[in-house]
Amino acid sequence: MDDHRQGQRQGHQHDHAHSDHGRDQAGHSHAHAHGHGGHAHGHTPKNFGPAFAIGIALNLGFVGVEAFYGWLSNSMALVADAGHNLSDVLGLVAAWIAAVLVKRAPSARFTYGLRGSSILAALFNAVVLLVATGGIIVEAVQRFLEPAPVAGTTVMVVAGIGILINGFTAWLFASGAKGDINIRGAYLHMVADAAVSAGVVLAGLVILATGFDWLDPLVSLVIAGLIIAATWGLLRDSVAMSLAAVPPGIDPEAVRAYLAARPGVRGLHDLHIWPMSTTEPALTAHLVVAGEANHPHFLKETADELRVRFGIGHATLQIEIEGQTACTLPKGCAA
């Protein structure tokens, strides 16, 4: 707000990229390019509300069935998988809430709306999943120390149902898994669960054939390893996004090279690229240009190309005329 008022006092003019480029007496201009799409980033093209509702209902029911029969059959693998599925239900709820909040309109206090909630939901998903995995590991180790007989047939039947439920739920989120880590978190949870259930079925089959009850906690440890491996990328990306890192899939050096190569650009500084949400990257930059580059379509063409090449639909560019205007940042211009 203070910067904007200062810009008004200096006679700066703010233009949107779909309008003509305006120049003020000081020679500064700003372009705000709001768009959708791009290669790796863009608004999720589908409403996943029904997928969340179906997935939560199916998995919540299955958690109860799996926990009951895990206790009845004395299967640590089933009980562990039930706990994991419960964490997935919580994760799906968080992801669904975030998917709704992302659509909230901006306000005077939250000028970007609540887009960042999708990043928080992805981080919550990763942390909860890892905590639940720690509980599985502790319980499996205790079972190794105190082995108990396992009802292999019951384990196989219940886990087989889990393969169907988790596989179907994963399919519901498959179309959005590439472009949104919030949706990807839900998808990875379900894929991991389907694989885990397949492992439990295999363990039940081997226990029936050999009587090796120690295979049950062993499968639990394998399950834990698979969950950690599948969750690590989600944790890494969500932490990075929460710290305003450049979103995955965008090469900042390629963006810098493109801007520096624009006709008439003599210098580039204070380039920042960060995620407003799990699907919407934003960019700000100061461009030092020669006077002839300050033509009516310069900003619009630049913003359009940022959207098409890099999927950056929200770009703010400040133009500084070479030899006429200086950077307005209080502490000078960064590289």
Side-chain angles (χ1 to χ4, degrees):
M1 181 63 73
D2 292 339
D3 291 341
H4 178 68
R5 289 173 178 169
Q6 180 183 6
Q8 288 180 323
R9 290 194 298 269
Q10 295 176 354
H12 293 185
Q13 179 174 342
H14 296 260
D15 292 330
H16 287 275
H18 55 261
S19 65
D20 285 346
H21 180 141
R23 186 196 301 182
D24 57 23
Q25 295 177 350
H28 289 64
S29 298
H30 298 259
H32 299 271
H34 305 280
H36 307 279
H39 298 298
H41 300 272
H43 294 294
T44 304
K46 181 180 177 182
N47 176 22
F48 286 92
F52 281 118
I54 294 171
I56 289 171
L58 288 176
N59 281 272
L60 194 57
F62 182 60
V63 164
V65 171
E66 197 170 28
F68 174 75
Y69 281 101
W71 170 79
L72 194 65
S73 62
N74 201 32
S75 170
M76 180 55 215
L78 275 185
V79 173
D81 197 34
H84 173 50
N85 273 303
L86 180 59
S87 73
D88 283 348
V89 171
L90 296 176
L92 287 176
V93 170
W96 191 5
I97 292 174
V100 172
L101 292 179
V102 160
K103 300 176 183 178
R104 294 283 295 272
S107 66
R109 181 173 178 81
F110 297 98
T111 56
Y112 280 131
L114 298 176
R115 292 179 173 93
S117 60
S118 59
I119 299 173
L120 296 179
L123 180 58
F124 172 83
N125 251 326
V127 171
V128 168
L129 192 51
L130 290 176
V131 170
T133 303
I136 292 174
I137 293 173
V138 170
E139 190 63 30
V141 170
Q142 291 177 348
R143 277 300 179 94
F144 267 121
L145 299 177
E146 299 177 8
V150 177
T153 302
T154 302
V155 170
M156 292 173 60
V157 171
V158 175
I161 297 172
I163 294 175
L164 297 177
I165 291 177
N166 292 319
F168 174 71
T169 307
W171 174 79
L172 293 175
F173 294 104
S175 63
K178 291 184 179 180
D180 184 347
I181 67 168
N182 186 36
I183 301 300
R184 190 175 85 197
Y187 173 76
L188 286 177
H189 278 287
M190 297 301 105
V191 170
D193 281 351
V196 164
S197 295
V200 173
V201 169
L202 180 61
L205 182 63
V206 175
I207 288 172
L208 281 177
T210 64
F212 294 158
D213 292 325
W214 53 266
L215 284 172
D216 184 72
L218 177 62
V219 168
S220 297
L221 291 177
V222 173
I223 288 172
L226 291 174
I227 295 171
I228 292 173
T231 307
W232 183 252
L234 178 65
L235 178 66
R236 180 193 62 230
D237 290 345
S238 58
V239 168
M241 281 191 167
S242 68
L243 296 174
V246 176
I250 295 179
D251 182 356
E253 293 306 316
V255 175
R256 179 180 290 275
Y258 162 71
L259 291 173
R262 290 289 292 145
V265 173
R266 298 291 186 264
L268 166 66
H269 55 85
D270 287 285
L271 171 63
H272 301 283
I273 309 170
W274 74 96
M276 294 188 299
S277 72
T278 53
T279 61
E280 297 174 280
L283 173 149
T284 59
H286 290 205
L287 302 180
V288 180
V289 304
E292 64 271 15
N294 198 22
H295 62 76
H297 303 295
F298 177 83
L299 288 176
K300 183 180 186 305
E301 291 171 358
T302 303
D304 287 346
E305 197 67 17
L306 285 171
R307 182 173 59 252
V308 171
R309 287 194 185 191
F310 307 104
I312 301 174
H314 189 115
T316 303
L317 303 172
Q318 176 166 306
I319 302 300
E320 297 166 3
I321 308 303
E322 185 181 35
Q324 298 182 28
T325 57
C327 178
T328 59
L329 293 179
K331 297 182 180 179
C333 296

